[in-house]
Amino acid sequence: MKAVFLALVLSIFAFAPAAAQGPSCASQAMSKDGKALAGAARTSAIRKCCATRAVSSEGKKLSGAAKTSFMKKCEAET
């Protein structure tokens, strides 16, 4: 019984960071009428979304290599 409980607790902690990030930038790339964006408009919306998410664990904006790395990872995920 303890093993099942431990597995449940560990799985919750493994899922928590993914849930805390919220919806992906690709799902937020929508036009005003609710249609999905395409082409340059989609790319621009995704970059803007990733730039607003580029914050450290203390809540400060990232800069330099840390921001570049985060932006590359964020854009690749979409």
Side-chain angles (χ1 to χ4, degrees):
M1 185 69 178
K2 289 181 183 180
V4 173
F5 179 73
L6 181 62
L8 178 65
V9 170
L10 290 177
S11 66
I12 290 171
F13 284 118
F15 180 71
Q21 291 177 355
S24 71
C25 289
S27 66
Q28 293 179 357
M30 301 292 237
S31 66
K32 291 181 181 178
D33 16 337
K35 295 181 182 177
L37 296 175
R42 182 177 188 270
T43 304
S44 177
I46 289 172
R47 283 187 183 150
K48 184 177 179 182
C49 175
C50 288
T52 58
R53 287 184 167 189
V55 293
S56 69
S57 59
E58 293 106 23
K60 296 179 183 178
K61 288 186 175 184
L62 295 177
S63 63
K67 183 175 181 179
T68 304
S69 174
F70 178 84
M71 293 291 289
K72 192 180 269 189
K73 179 184 172 198
C74 181
E75 290 173 8
E77 288 176 353
T78 56

